[in-house]
Amino acid sequence: MKVAIVAESFFPEMNGVTHSLLKILQHLDARGDEVLVIAPSTLENAPPSVEGAMVRRLPAVPLAGYRNIRVAMGGVMRVKNLLAEFDPDVVHLASPFVLGWRAVRAAAALGIPSVAVYQTDVPGYTARYGIPFLENWAWQRVRQIHCAATKTLVPSSASLQKLQAHDVPRLELWRRGVDTERFHPNKRSAQFRLSVAPAGQRIIGYVGRLALEKQVEDLAVLAKIPGTQLVIVGDGPQREALESLIPEAHFPGFLGGDELAAAMASFDLFVHPGELETFCQTIQEAMASGVPVIATGRGGPVDLVDSSRTGWLYAPGNLSQLRDYTMDLMGDETKRAAFGTAAFHQVQGRSWQVVCEQLMNLYTQAIDEHPRLTASLRKSK
């Protein structure tokens, strides 16, 4: 198969979209498929190929206030020419919004089937960033993109329901995999625990981008629970503000690879307060590490956390409930261990191998359905 992947952001900028794309590229490379990635230019020198895929960069400018988030410039024709030259069997649109809007129109003009992967709640971000008047426009853009795509993949039941409510057709549920070899209870590190909790405190951990949409400031209610240490792993534009807001917390910065696996397995409890998560990969990684999870009862976490068995889901915005659930698990070692064991077993079998094979089948379906869809759209005009 020849696959073109169009991404709003890509390596070396690491985020949830990039992480899943790297896993997909590894799978495609192992299969011997030919892959082109089209992505915005980066601040640093980026390699011309990644995981066997050729990478073509488009000129980009930084998003206002966020130097590392870059928006690709240019029109549909530039993307159309790149796709025409590569001549793929299918176009994969990774979290499409700006570049993805050009790409879905370019693919349609060339008669190439496209699979759009809904992965970022851009309309939800507008309110969080203080521009709620743009929410309707953002939903209009999301609907335009996904209605133009041959097939749309969503990561959770909450995302499925949200797009259905906005009349987006041809939806399929496609979840994310987890590396159960890297993230495992046996990665627990006495050295890491000593470095962040030298008095032997139980560790409440968070891993993720330190940005407004993650609502990390909500974790301030957990900072002074006796006998515990709050550890906030990650980096982002809110880090300095969060360090001032929660001085009791330990901020080790961005961790990746084996360092991240050791940190995750060393937590006694994982907490994620974000209400705009379409999936929340770090929850799966914590569960694979044998760590119980407390998360907000909205969005992707609802599918992942089995409340009262693998962790707790608290009512969105109810920070006293978040604190109560945290104290419940921090004060009951037997319950905490039982929840962690149940979490570990729940994610076994969700390997990236399995998930990527599902994606290959969805690519094939899109290729098969595309001629019928195109004919149907022509008749309706």
Side-chain angles (χ1 to χ4, degrees):
M1 203 183 302
K2 292 182 72 175
V3 181
I5 295 176
V6 181
E8 300 288 338
S9 64
F10 187 60
F11 184 84
E13 174 65 23
M14 290 304 297
N15 51 42
V17 174
T18 302
H19 175 77
S20 59
L21 284 178
L22 292 176
K23 294 296 185 181
I24 293 165
L25 290 178
Q26 290 168 6
H27 190 81
L28 291 168
D29 188 40
R31 280 168 39 103
D33 295 318
E34 191 176 348
V35 185
L36 168 70
V37 176
I38 301 172
S41 63
T42 60
L43 290 171
E44 53 191 288
N45 291 328
S49 64
V50 176
E51 300 292 354
M54 177 174 56
V55 182
R56 298 292 296 272
R57 301 281 181 176
L58 298 179
V61 296
L63 189 65
Y66 294 90
R67 182 170 175 267
N68 290 325
I69 300 177
R70 297 174 65 78
V71 180
M73 305 298 290
V76 175
M77 188 57 66
R78 180 72 181 273
V79 181
K80 184 178 176 182
N81 289 340
L82 289 172
L83 291 178
E85 180 184 352
F86 183 65
D87 191 25
D89 298 303
V90 65
V91 177
H92 175 127
L93 307 169
S95 197
F97 194 74
V98 178
L99 180 55
W101 173 227
R102 295 177 216 141
V104 75
R105 288 181 289 164
L110 293 168
I112 304 170
S114 57
V115 173
V117 181
Y118 178 76
Q119 201 164 342
T120 306
D121 183 4
V122 175
Y125 283 18
T126 59
R128 187 66 61 188
Y129 281 84
I131 44 175
F133 54 89
L134 290 179
E135 184 174 4
N136 287 338
W137 170 81
W139 270 118
Q140 181 181 6
R141 171 57 53 85
V142 168
R143 189 176 184 280
Q144 286 173 327
I145 292 169
H146 291 281
C147 285
T150 310
K151 189 181 290 290
T152 288
L153 311 185
V154 294
S156 62
S157 57
S159 298
L160 181 70
Q161 292 161 10
K162 188 174 288 188
L163 291 190
Q164 284 175 333
H166 284 86
D167 299 320
V168 174
R170 301 181 296 280
L171 298 169
E172 298 274 359
L173 194 61
W174 179 65
R175 303 189 190 277
R176 302 293 178 270
V178 61
D179 188 338
T180 52
E181 292 185 5
R182 169 171 289 176
F183 294 96
H184 193 277
N186 65 15
K187 300 299 177 68
R188 192 172 176 90
S189 167
Q191 181 180 354
F192 177 84
R193 290 180 63 83
L194 183 63
S195 70
V196 301
Q201 306 99 311
R202 293 182 296 279
I203 300 173
I204 303 166
Y206 164 87
V207 174
R209 238 176 94 71
L210 305 186
L212 281 175
E213 70 273 10
K214 301 297 184 180
Q215 296 172 245
V216 185
E217 66 275 9
D218 290 353
L219 299 182
V221 301
L222 310 180
K224 296 181 180 179
I225 295 176
T228 70
Q229 175 63 55
L230 178 62
V231 176
I232 298 176
V233 176
D235 208 346
Q238 293 298 110
R239 180 171 176 176
E240 186 174 339
L242 289 166
E243 288 177 333
S244 296
L245 177 67
I246 319 175
E248 304 86 357
H250 183 86
F251 289 81
F254 176 83
L255 299 177
D258 292 339
E259 281 188 318
L260 176 59
M264 193 73 88
S266 300
F267 295 158
D268 295 295
L269 176 67
F270 181 82
V271 180
H272 200 294
E275 297 175 20
L276 297 177
E277 298 297 303
T278 59
F279 186 72
C280 200
Q281 178 65 13
T282 53
I283 286 180
Q284 281 203 139
E285 292 168 352
M287 294 172 73
S289 302
V291 178
V293 174
I294 297 177
T296 183
R298 178 176 289 165
V302 175
D303 287 357
L304 298 174
V305 180
D306 187 352
S307 203
S308 82
R309 195 179 76 87
T310 64
W312 292 112
L313 292 171
Y314 66 94
N318 191 338
L319 300 188
S320 62
Q321 190 178 44
L322 164 61
R323 182 181 168 87
D324 289 344
Y325 280 150
T326 300
M327 293 182 68
D328 169 63
L329 288 178
M330 288 291 94
D332 190 332
E333 189 170 343
T334 301
K335 180 188 286 189
R336 192 171 69 247
F339 277 26
T341 299
F344 171 79
H345 288 296
Q346 185 168 302
V347 298
Q348 301 308 303
R350 298 184 189 175
S351 71
W352 277 105
Q353 172 72 23
V354 170
V355 168
C356 287
E357 276 303 314
Q358 293 170 349
L359 180 62
M360 299 305 106
N361 291 333
L362 291 165
Y363 283 168
T364 301
Q365 289 176 28
I367 292 167
D368 291 343
E369 292 167 9
H370 184 69
R372 294 193 296 274
L373 175 62
T374 302
S376 175
L377 290 174
R378 284 173 179 162
K379 288 178 183 178
S380 66
K381 289 182 179 179

